[in-house]
Amino acid sequence: MAEPYGESPLAARAEALAARSGPDAVHITEVPFKAQITLRVDPKGSGAERIGTAIHAMLPNQPGEVVHAEGALVLGLGPDEWLLVGPEGAAESISDTLTTALDGDHGAVVDVSAHRTILEVSGPHARDLLNMGCALDLHPRSFATGRCAQTLLARAAVVLVCRDAALPTYWLIVRSSFARYVADWLIDAAGEYGW
């Protein structure tokens, strides 16, 4: 059965990712077709307040914060920039909700769902694997559950989200054009350690 959105950016790497995954080390998989909407608005303006009401959660105050809104995660990327990540097929609904809440105020709502895909890296050695290519301190003291950061992983720009620091589980939100490079790097780096 064909996917409603065509082929995911990492469909060709699915077997290689699964082959490198193991329950005692790391599990690497693509989470394709998530709705992804970029929002730019003055955080102190009435538009941001109306958006908070519309999504039943206030926008994160600081870059790096993640909040759960109705049907989406809201990632604080900058002082006036957020990324909303929702379920497959929800991009239009999320965009409409945000645009309606802006009510003509200065701001931008852009569907970037086709622009990026998500890689999930989880398991006991997920943090070790990511630390091989990322300069951030990923220890739970510094990068706990519900944190995100725009960073580089093996010289590729990603949005890194800590979904669960205890397991650990991370999302790498990466541009589709870099997705194969990042997947290949993860496969190679995991292989060096016998994972």
Side-chain angles (χ1 to χ4, degrees):
M1 181 174 177
E3 292 290 345
Y5 302 105
E7 188 174 77
S8 75
L10 293 174
R13 299 295 192 273
E15 286 184 32
L17 289 169
R20 194 50 81 201
S21 298
D24 296 329
V26 292
H27 182 74
I28 308 165
T29 187
E30 183 184 20
V31 183
F33 308 121
K34 287 283 194 184
Q36 298 181 50
I37 308 298
T38 296
L39 169 66
R40 300 291 303 261
V41 66
D42 177 358
K44 296 182 175 154
S46 59
E49 187 174 325
R50 286 191 304 273
I51 287 170
T53 300
I55 65 173
H56 304 288
M58 295 312 296
L59 297 172
N61 290 328
Q62 299 292 322
E65 291 181 353
V66 177
V67 299
H68 293 269
E70 189 170 285
L73 285 179
V74 184
L75 313 179
L77 300 184
D80 65 350
E81 181 181 10
W82 298 268
L83 177 66
L84 285 81
V85 181
E88 179 179 334
E92 185 175 349
S93 173
I94 295 169
S95 292
D96 289 348
T97 297
L98 298 175
T99 302
T100 300
L102 270 176
D103 192 28
D105 280 3
H106 181 69
V109 176
V110 180
D111 181 354
V112 295
S113 303
H115 179 65
R116 301 179 184 141
T117 192
I118 299 172
L119 276 158
E120 183 173 271
V121 181
S122 62
H125 293 288
R127 187 176 300 116
D128 299 327
L129 176 60
L130 294 176
N131 273 331
M132 289 193 289
C134 179
L136 291 179
D137 179 0
L138 299 180
H139 191 279
R141 282 187 311 257
S142 301
F143 200 71
T145 301
R147 300 292 302 166
C148 68
Q150 296 184 84
T151 188
L152 296 177
L153 178 73
R155 297 181 298 209
V158 300
V159 176
L160 181 63
V161 182
C162 183
R163 302 281 289 150
D164 183 349
L167 182 52
T169 302
Y170 299 93
W171 273 2
L172 302 172
I173 304 174
V174 60
R175 286 176 38 192
S176 295
S177 57
F178 283 96
R180 288 185 180 185
Y181 166 78
V182 171
D184 289 344
W185 182 88
L186 289 167
I187 291 165
D188 183 59
E192 286 185 30
Y193 290 87
W195 298 333

